[in-house]
Amino acid sequence: MSRRTSDALHHFRPSTRLTHLGRDTAAQHGFVNPPIYRGSTVLFDSMDDLLNDRAEFTYGLLGNPSTAALQDAWSDLAGAAGTILAPSGLMAITTALLAVLQAGDHLLVTDSVYGPTRSFCDKMLKRFGVETTYYDPRVGTGINELIRPNTRAVFLESPGSLTFEIQDVPAITEIAHAHGAAVILDNTWATPLLFDAHGHGVDIVIEAGTKYLSGASDLLFGLASATEKYWPALRSTHLALGSTVGPEDVFLCLRGLRTMHLRLRESERQALDMAHWLSQRPEVTQVLHPALEQHPDHTLWQRDYTGSSGLFSIILHPAPQHAVAAMLDGLQLFGMGYSWGGFESLVTPIDPGAIRTATSWQANGPALRFYIGLEDTQDLKDDLDAGFARLRTAQTAP
C-alpha cells in the first residue's frame, strides 16, 4: 500500500488503517515494513535540480522516506493537513506554542496542564514577551470572559494528566475561534483513536509518542498535527528550530503504530477493572477516572470520547507520608517512575496543588497516579492489597 494512496483507506475503520498507513511495499522491494533511512546528505542529479530544490528530499534535517511515512500516517489518522515529528512530547508542545505566538501576545492555559508546559510558559515565553493566564479546566463557555484583544491562543489538556478534568473542547474552540485565537490541545491520554481533536475544532494537536505510540518505554518522541490554516506556521517553526528525530525512533514509532489500537483497548479494559476495584477500597476516598459514572465530567467524556486509556489517579484518606512510603516501597509489580503508556504498571505520588495558580486542589489525603500495564489484574490487585496492609500497619505503629 503506497503512502500516496492513503485516501483509499479513509472508509476503513481505524484498526485497518493503522495496519496499512505509512507503507509503500512497491518502493520497499516487497518488504512489509519501511526501512530505516539514515543520512544527512542527499545527492542531486544536476546543478539545476540542486539550485531549485527539485527533489522530494533535499537534506536529512528536512526529512527522509522514513519520517515522511510516519508523518503521512499520523496526519491521516488525526485528520490533519500535516504533522511534524519532534524528539519529545515537550518539544512538540513548545514548537506548537512558538508557531502561533509572538511578543505582546496573551496565552490562556488550563491550570491542569503538564508541569513542563507550565514551566516553558512561565520562563521561556515570559522572556519572549508573552503573558500567560491560567484558567480553571472546567471553565467551559466562561473562557469568553478571559479572552483579551491580544489573546492569540488557548492551550488545553484534556483530561489533565494528574487530575483528569475533561474540558468542554467544542465550547472552548468555538469561542476562541470567534475571537481569532488558535486552539492547541495535548491529546496524549486519548490519542486520535479515542478523541478526534481536529474534528472537534482544535487547530494544533499534540501527542507524546513516548507513551502509547512507543508502547515499550524505550524512546522519547513527540508529534504535532495541524489544520490547513495552521500547518504552514507549524511547519516553518519546526524547520527554523532545527528539531529532528532519529531514524531508529521513527522506525519504532511506525512499528508501535500497528498495534496501538490493540494496546489501547487492553489498557482501557485493565484500567477500568482496577479503577472500579480501587473505588471499593476503604483506604480510597476518590478515584479520578473520567469513564467512571461518579466522575464530575463523565457526561462530557461520554459525549466526546470513544474510550479511555490506562492512566488515572486516586485520593487516599488522610495518611502520613511514611505510611504512603511503606505502601509504595514494598510494591513488587508497580514501578515508581515518570511517563506511562508502556507494558509495565506504574505508580507515583502526586501533589497537584504545588503547581496550581488559578484553582485550588481540594483533597484531604495524599494522591497517587496509576498507570495500568499489561500484567494480570488479579496480580496487580494482590500487590496493592499487600501495599494497603502496609499502609494501615504504618499508620497504627507507635
Side-chain angles (χ1 to χ4, degrees):
M1 175 62 67
S2 169
R3 64 183 175 87
R4 295 179 180 83
T5 61
S6 61
D7 287 348
L9 296 171
H10 283 317
H11 67 284
F12 291 111
R13 292 173 176 82
S15 58
T16 301
R17 289 160 59 203
L18 286 175
T19 305
H20 293 276
L21 287 169
R23 295 198 292 119
D24 186 350
T25 52
Q28 295 154 202
H29 305 285
F31 285 95
V32 171
N33 290 309
I36 298 175
Y37 283 84
R38 299 182 183 89
S40 55
T41 300
V42 178
L43 300 179
F44 295 81
D45 289 337
S46 68
M47 184 177 77
D48 183 62
D49 285 346
L50 185 147
L51 293 176
N52 292 284
D53 285 338
R54 195 174 288 112
E56 184 174 4
F57 303 102
T58 58
Y59 186 61
L61 182 65
L62 308 180
N64 60 46
S66 297
T67 58
L70 181 56
Q71 287 172 311
D72 289 353
W74 195 263
S75 295
D76 184 284
L77 184 67
T83 298
I84 60 124
L85 309 180
S88 68
L90 180 60
M91 188 66 196
I93 290 168
T94 58
T95 303
L97 288 168
L98 291 173
V100 300
L101 296 168
Q102 61 183 8
D105 285 348
H106 175 240
L107 169 68
L108 286 169
V109 176
T110 176
D111 206 28
S112 57
V113 74
Y114 174 54
T117 304
R118 182 186 289 267
S119 179
F120 179 77
C121 294
D122 291 347
K123 297 175 182 178
M124 193 67 69
L125 287 184
K126 184 178 180 180
R127 281 177 50 201
F128 292 162
V130 175
E131 182 184 358
T132 301
T133 299
Y134 295 95
Y135 65 88
D136 186 336
R138 295 191 170 104
V139 69
T141 56
I143 198 79
N144 190 62
E145 306 304 315
L146 302 177
I147 293 180
R148 305 175 186 173
N150 64 332
T151 302
R152 293 292 173 263
V154 182
F155 191 98
L156 298 80
E157 183 179 298
S158 184
S161 59
L162 292 180
T163 46
F164 298 91
E165 298 93 341
I166 295 290
Q167 295 193 248
D168 193 340
V169 177
I172 293 173
T173 56
E174 182 179 2
I175 292 169
H177 290 161
H179 290 273
V183 177
I184 305 171
L185 168 70
D186 186 334
N187 196 39
T188 301
W189 183 86
T191 83
L193 294 177
L194 303 181
F195 181 65
D196 178 11
H198 287 303
H200 283 81
V202 179
D203 300 299
I204 301 178
V205 183
I206 310 299
E207 177 78 22
T210 305
K211 275 67 173 177
Y212 281 114
L213 187 55
S214 162
S217 302
D218 58 1
L219 65 86
L220 294 167
F221 208 86
L223 309 96
S225 61
T227 59
E228 188 173 353
K229 179 179 179 180
Y230 286 95
W231 170 237
L234 180 65
R235 175 169 169 73
S236 64
T237 304
H238 180 244
L239 294 176
L241 292 171
S243 172
T244 190
V245 294
E248 286 80 8
D249 289 351
V250 173
F251 177 82
L252 290 173
C253 282
L254 281 167
R255 172 179 285 186
L257 187 76
R258 311 303 175 197
T259 60
M260 189 169 68
H261 64 290
L262 294 173
R263 290 183 281 106
L264 270 172
R265 189 184 308 157
E266 186 66 6
S267 189
E268 175 180 44
R269 187 188 69 80
Q270 299 254 109
L272 282 173
D273 184 13
M274 294 299 296
H276 283 295
W277 180 78
L278 284 163
S279 69
Q280 301 303 311
R281 294 290 312 194
E283 304 87 354
V284 177
T285 182
Q286 190 176 1
V287 176
L288 306 178
H289 191 312
L292 298 187
E293 289 186 3
Q294 61 266 35
H295 189 279
D297 306 320
H298 177 70
T299 301
L300 278 179
W301 171 83
Q302 202 169 37
R303 183 193 71 184
D304 295 339
Y305 289 71
T306 59
S308 60
S309 62
L311 192 73
F312 63 92
S313 293
I314 67 170
I315 302 172
L316 300 171
H317 286 289
Q321 187 175 25
H322 76 270
V324 178
M327 172 188 174
L328 300 186
D329 289 348
L331 292 173
Q332 292 184 296
L333 299 179
F334 285 88
M336 281 187 284
Y338 300 107
S339 198
W340 43 277
F343 47 78
E344 77 290 1
S345 292
L346 300 170
V347 60
T348 53
I350 58 173
D351 181 14
I355 59 173
R356 295 219 170 189
T357 56
T359 56
S360 60
W361 170 242
Q362 302 294 329
N364 293 324
L368 304 174
R369 189 180 76 169
F370 283 98
Y371 170 69
I372 307 302
L374 300 180
E375 301 93 342
D376 188 286
T377 53
Q378 188 56 57
D379 289 334
L380 295 177
K381 292 171 186 176
D382 291 343
D383 197 23
L384 288 177
D385 190 51
F388 283 128
R390 291 191 299 273
L391 176 78
R392 295 193 299 271
T393 299
Q395 284 181 288
T396 57

